[in-house]
Amino acid sequence: MRIRAFQGLRPKPENAATVASLPYDVVNTEEARELASGNPHSFLRVVRAEIDLPAGTDPYDASVYAQAKQNLASLEADGVIERESEPCIYIYQQKMGDHVQRGVVAVCHIEDYENNLIKKHEKTRQAKEDDRTRLNATLRAHPGPVFLTYKNDAKITALMDAVTAGEPLSDFIAPDGVGHTVWRIPGGADFVKAFESVPVFYVADGHHRSASAARVGKELREANPNHTGNEDYNWFLNVIFPDNELKVLPYNRLVLNLNGKTNEEFLSELKNVVPVTEGNVDPSPDAIGKVSMYFDGKWYGLDLTGLAASDPISELDVSKLQDYILQPLLGIDDPRTSNDIEFIGGIRGTGELTKRVDKGDGPVAFSMYHVTCDQLMAIADADQIMPPKSTWFEPKLRSGLFVNTF
């Protein structure tokens, strides 16, 4: 795989904690406004610039993109962020509780995305892709990195070990308790060389960011009669993690009604589909093929391992749950569009499921075992698309620590 050092913008080390923000797509406008309150340096003012405009402003209005451009320019003019003195690669480490993951920050070529050497497993939503495309084009920058993964390579791990044994450029703990540490590598030639032996990358998180970066690059390529392929617009910002360091959380399900069935009818029909156990059931399943169900005030265990599957998609627990239970028993034909189901990120824990069911938001919730990186890669290798809301990667990459301009 091709990676390259880049001479982008980054916060001065003393400003990293106040600049770095959650990514744009994990907060809504009001949450972003509250998080940025009292902090003029928050990068949310770039990736969610509507928070600096009157309440009710359409987040896709032209004024939002103009405000984002102004805010990014102000951060640089005020000396909060600065242009790197030379092309660099970085190591970005995140620590959440006992979990530590380290990724290489570099730019990748949009042709590798277009030619499926950077593999995808999700569909994008047009409105979100259009939004990030317009933002990138207005800023002439990638304000948030794409989260890529690759099959662990010992040579790259050894290089990261050597770098992270040294003094970091910046190190802080965010308000959510996640630690963020950055090491700077001028040139990064050893990493560029090492990644040449990696056959493919996989998009773990950031399908809209990668799609929009490729679109902007293509638009600028087509508009440039002297295009060579080496221009900065051909390269987009990524953090690239080995698969063995990633933490994947499940995406759980809350069903809002029983499709006209009584509790007794639903439970009886369910037992005709899969083995169901009661008593001493862990709310968090411990293996592929196991699902925990909260229903009628208690936890049940479901065993999906005996259900037939014909390909990497249908082998997923979320697919089996959909194909054998949610659709035939509960009438949820398309989870992408159904109003009878909600998806709850695993970061909220199983307590969120019991709380929602107990207060009457829905009669039944399903706690899933997380999709593995091997499953994600197998689906991407087969050029298939993951079912909606299948994976939740945590911790999230902070925006604003690295900005690639073009």
Side-chain angles (χ1 to χ4, degrees):
M1 294 301 296
R2 290 184 284 179
I3 69 167
R4 193 174 82 168
F6 64 103
Q7 190 172 356
L9 299 168
R10 59 166 173 79
K12 291 181 178 178
E14 64 270 23
N15 298 329
T18 53
V19 171
S21 77
L22 289 171
Y24 79 99
D25 54 350
V26 301
V27 290
N28 61 33
T29 300
E30 292 311 311
E31 290 168 335
R33 183 175 284 117
E34 183 177 348
L35 287 169
S37 177
N39 179 9
H41 300 161
S42 172
F43 213 69
L44 286 169
R45 301 187 186 281
V46 176
V47 295
R48 297 301 298 258
E50 72 270 16
I51 67 176
D52 282 340
L53 296 170
T57 298
D58 182 344
Y60 301 150
D61 187 81
S63 62
V64 175
Y65 306 100
Q67 185 70 46
K69 183 176 182 178
Q70 177 183 317
N71 290 350
L72 180 61
S74 295
L75 286 172
E76 186 175 8
D78 295 343
V80 178
I81 63 176
E82 60 185 357
R83 176 73 59 183
E84 187 59 85
S85 60
E86 58 188 317
C88 292
I89 281 171
Y90 307 85
I91 302 299
Y92 176 21
Q93 175 181 287
Q94 298 174 294
K95 186 175 188 297
M96 184 178 74
D98 296 330
H99 175 73
V100 177
Q101 61 188 36
R102 302 171 302 171
V104 175
V105 184
V107 291
C108 298
H109 205 285
I110 63 170
E111 286 181 355
D112 292 337
Y113 176 88
E114 293 169 336
N115 295 330
N116 208 35
L117 291 173
I118 299 174
K119 294 177 175 286
K120 309 88 178 166
H121 67 265
E122 285 183 6
K123 291 181 178 178
T124 60
R125 289 171 49 202
Q126 194 65 45
K128 285 180 66 176
E129 185 181 316
D130 290 347
D131 167 51
R132 292 299 102 175
T133 298
R134 192 171 179 186
L135 180 65
N136 289 353
T138 301
L139 297 178
R140 292 297 295 252
H142 305 126
V146 178
F147 187 149
L148 298 181
T149 188
Y150 62 96
K151 293 182 179 178
N152 179 45
D153 183 291
K155 298 190 298 296
I156 298 171
T157 298
L159 289 173
M160 288 199 290
D161 289 342
V163 170
T164 56
E167 192 70 21
L169 172 69
S170 61
D171 185 18
F172 66 94
I173 297 176
D176 59 5
V178 176
H180 301 267
T181 310
V182 174
W183 289 265
R184 177 179 179 271
I185 312 161
D190 290 344
F191 285 89
V192 172
K193 181 65 177 176
F195 272 104
E196 290 177 358
S197 63
V198 173
V200 294
F201 290 149
Y202 300 84
V203 179
D205 200 5
H207 285 80
H208 292 91
R209 276 164 282 186
S210 54
S212 60
R215 275 179 58 183
V216 171
K218 182 179 179 181
E219 290 169 3
L220 293 174
R221 177 175 64 201
E222 292 173 348
N224 180 7
N226 300 312
H227 170 82
T228 66
N230 293 317
E231 298 88 353
D232 287 339
Y233 60 69
N234 293 285
W235 300 82
F236 67 103
L237 181 64
N238 301 272
V239 187
I240 314 161
F241 292 90
D243 63 337
N244 64 323
E245 292 194 12
L246 295 187
K247 186 178 184 67
V248 189
L249 298 180
Y251 236 128
N252 298 321
R253 273 84 170 125
L254 172 70
V255 177
L256 305 187
N257 64 75
L258 293 181
N259 196 30
K261 296 176 171 59
T262 66
N263 286 6
E264 293 76 15
E265 288 170 339
F266 168 66
L267 193 57
S268 175
E269 292 181 16
L270 180 65
K271 290 178 178 179
N272 289 329
V273 175
V274 294
V276 178
T277 58
E278 301 180 37
N280 298 318
V281 173
D282 190 332
S284 298
D286 60 1
I288 293 173
K290 306 296 184 182
V291 173
S292 297
M293 179 182 75
Y294 188 68
F295 175 66
D296 204 16
K298 57 184 175 181
W299 285 98
Y300 295 80
L302 311 184
D303 185 353
L304 310 184
T305 56
L307 299 178
S310 58
D311 56 43
I313 291 287
S314 61
E315 287 174 357
L316 295 175
D317 289 348
V318 291
S319 295
K320 289 182 176 180
L321 183 73
Q322 172 63 31
D323 295 342
Y324 287 92
I325 297 172
L326 298 185
Q327 193 279 326
L329 301 188
L330 296 173
I332 298 171
D333 294 323
D334 185 350
R336 294 181 188 276
T337 59
S338 175
N339 294 321
D340 297 324
I341 189 170
E342 290 186 15
F343 302 93
I344 299 174
I347 191 66
R348 295 183 178 272
T350 56
E352 179 73 7
L353 303 182
T354 59
K355 182 179 77 173
R356 294 289 302 275
V357 172
D358 287 346
K359 77 174 187 176
D361 289 349
V364 61
F366 299 92
S367 172
M368 313 299 297
Y369 186 73
H370 66 82
V371 172
T372 67
C373 281
D374 284 344
Q375 289 177 311
L376 182 152
M377 290 176 172
I379 288 166
D381 286 339
D383 294 325
Q384 294 183 317
I385 299 299
M386 195 87 77
K389 308 296 185 182
S390 298
T391 56
W392 181 286
F393 286 89
E394 198 73 34
K396 300 294 185 184
L397 303 181
R398 290 264 156 170
S399 294
L401 290 176
F402 321 95
V403 180
N404 178 50
T405 59
F406 51 87

